[in-house]
Amino acid sequence: MTELPTAASGASALDVARRCADEGGAIALERFRGERRIDTKGRGNVVTDADVAVELRIKEILAAEFPGHAVLSEETSASTDPSRGWCWVIDPIDGTK
Protein backbone atom coordinates (compact mmCIF):
# COMPACT_ATOMS: atom_id res chain seq x y z
CA MET A 1 0.00 0.00 0.00
CA THR A 2 1.27 3.48 -0.89
CA GLU A 3 1.89 5.84 2.01
CA LEU A 4 0.04 9.13 1.95
CA PRO A 5 2.24 12.20 1.58
CA THR A 6 2.96 14.63 4.39
CA ALA A 7 2.00 18.28 3.89
CA ALA A 8 4.44 21.19 3.91
CA SER A 9 3.16 22.06 7.40
CA GLY A 10 3.85 18.54 8.63
CA ALA A 11 0.15 17.66 8.72
CA SER A 12 -1.07 14.36 7.34
CA ALA A 13 -2.89 14.28 4.01
CA LEU A 14 -6.01 13.19 5.89
CA ASP A 15 -5.77 16.20 8.21
CA VAL A 16 -5.39 18.50 5.22
CA ALA A 17 -8.42 16.89 3.56
CA ARG A 18 -10.41 17.47 6.76
CA ARG A 19 -9.27 21.09 6.86
CA CYS A 20 -10.41 21.52 3.25
CA ALA A 21 -13.81 20.05 4.14
CA ASP A 22 -14.15 22.22 7.25
CA GLU A 23 -13.16 25.47 5.58
CA GLY A 24 -15.10 24.76 2.41
CA GLY A 25 -18.12 23.78 4.48
CA ALA A 26 -17.93 27.02 6.44
CA ILE A 27 -18.02 29.03 3.20
CA ALA A 28 -20.94 26.99 1.87
CA LEU A 29 -22.89 27.35 5.12
CA GLU A 30 -22.24 31.09 5.21
CA ARG A 31 -23.77 31.45 1.75
CA PHE A 32 -26.60 28.96 2.24
CA ARG A 33 -29.97 30.59 1.56
CA GLY A 34 -28.25 33.91 0.97
CA GLU A 35 -27.98 35.93 -2.18
CA ARG A 36 -25.70 34.43 -4.77
CA ARG A 37 -24.59 35.02 -8.32
CA ILE A 38 -25.57 32.26 -10.73
CA ASP A 39 -23.84 31.61 -14.05
CA THR A 40 -23.94 28.81 -16.57
CA LYS A 41 -21.10 26.72 -17.92
CA GLY A 42 -20.83 24.17 -20.67
CA ARG A 43 -24.19 22.83 -21.79
CA GLY A 44 -26.30 24.97 -19.50
CA ASN A 45 -24.92 23.61 -16.23
CA VAL A 46 -25.45 26.05 -13.40
CA VAL A 47 -22.60 27.27 -11.17
CA THR A 48 -22.87 29.72 -8.29
CA ASP A 49 -20.33 32.04 -6.72
CA ALA A 50 -20.54 29.77 -3.65
CA ASP A 51 -19.41 26.78 -5.74
CA VAL A 52 -16.43 28.73 -7.02
CA ALA A 53 -15.53 30.27 -3.63
CA VAL A 54 -15.45 26.86 -1.93
CA GLU A 55 -13.37 25.36 -4.70
CA LEU A 56 -10.88 28.24 -4.76
CA ARG A 57 -10.37 28.06 -0.97
CA ILE A 58 -9.72 24.32 -1.15
CA LYS A 59 -7.28 24.82 -4.02
CA GLU A 60 -5.50 27.53 -2.02
CA ILE A 61 -5.03 25.17 0.94
CA LEU A 62 -3.81 22.34 -1.30
CA ALA A 63 -1.37 24.60 -3.18
CA ALA A 64 0.20 25.67 0.11
CA GLU A 65 0.34 22.18 1.62
CA PHE A 66 1.12 20.10 -1.48
CA PRO A 67 2.58 22.44 -4.13
CA GLY A 68 3.66 19.59 -6.42
CA HIS A 69 0.27 17.86 -6.52
CA ALA A 70 -2.21 18.21 -9.37
CA VAL A 71 -5.74 19.39 -8.63
CA LEU A 72 -8.71 18.33 -10.75
CA SER A 73 -11.74 20.47 -9.99
CA GLU A 74 -15.18 20.79 -11.46
CA GLU A 75 -15.47 24.56 -11.71
CA THR A 76 -11.95 25.82 -12.43
CA SER A 77 -9.54 23.03 -13.46
CA ALA A 78 -11.47 20.47 -15.44
CA SER A 79 -8.59 20.08 -17.91
CA THR A 80 -5.97 18.95 -15.34
CA ASP A 81 -4.21 15.70 -16.21
CA PRO A 82 -4.74 13.45 -13.16
CA SER A 83 -2.38 10.76 -14.45
CA ARG A 84 0.84 12.38 -13.20
CA GLY A 85 1.58 11.64 -9.57
CA TRP A 86 -0.67 12.72 -6.73
CA CYS A 87 -3.94 14.35 -7.77
CA TRP A 88 -6.64 15.85 -5.55
CA VAL A 89 -10.18 15.82 -6.95
CA ILE A 90 -12.51 18.62 -5.87
CA ASP A 91 -16.26 18.64 -6.46
CA PRO A 92 -17.27 20.60 -3.39
CA ILE A 93 -20.97 21.41 -3.56
CA ASP A 94 -23.95 21.97 -5.72
CA GLY A 95 -24.86 25.39 -4.47
CA THR A 96 -27.57 25.92 -7.02
CA LYS A 97 -30.55 24.97 -4.84
Side-chain angles (χ1 to χ4, degrees), residues 34-53:
E35 299 239 350
R36 59 188 155 259
R37 191 186 76 247
I38 300 172
D39 293 315
T40 57
K41 62 177 183 169
R43 296 179 151 192
N45 293 316
V46 177
V47 60
T48 69
D49 57 336
D51 296 312
V52 175

Side-chain angles (χ1 to χ4, degrees), residues 20-44:
C20 289
D22 289 344
E23 292 191 26
I27 293 168
L29 186 58
E30 177 183 295
R31 295 182 184 208
F32 184 69
R33 298 211 194 278
E35 299 239 350
R36 59 188 155 259
R37 191 186 76 247
I38 300 172
D39 293 315
T40 57
K41 62 177 183 169
R43 296 179 151 192

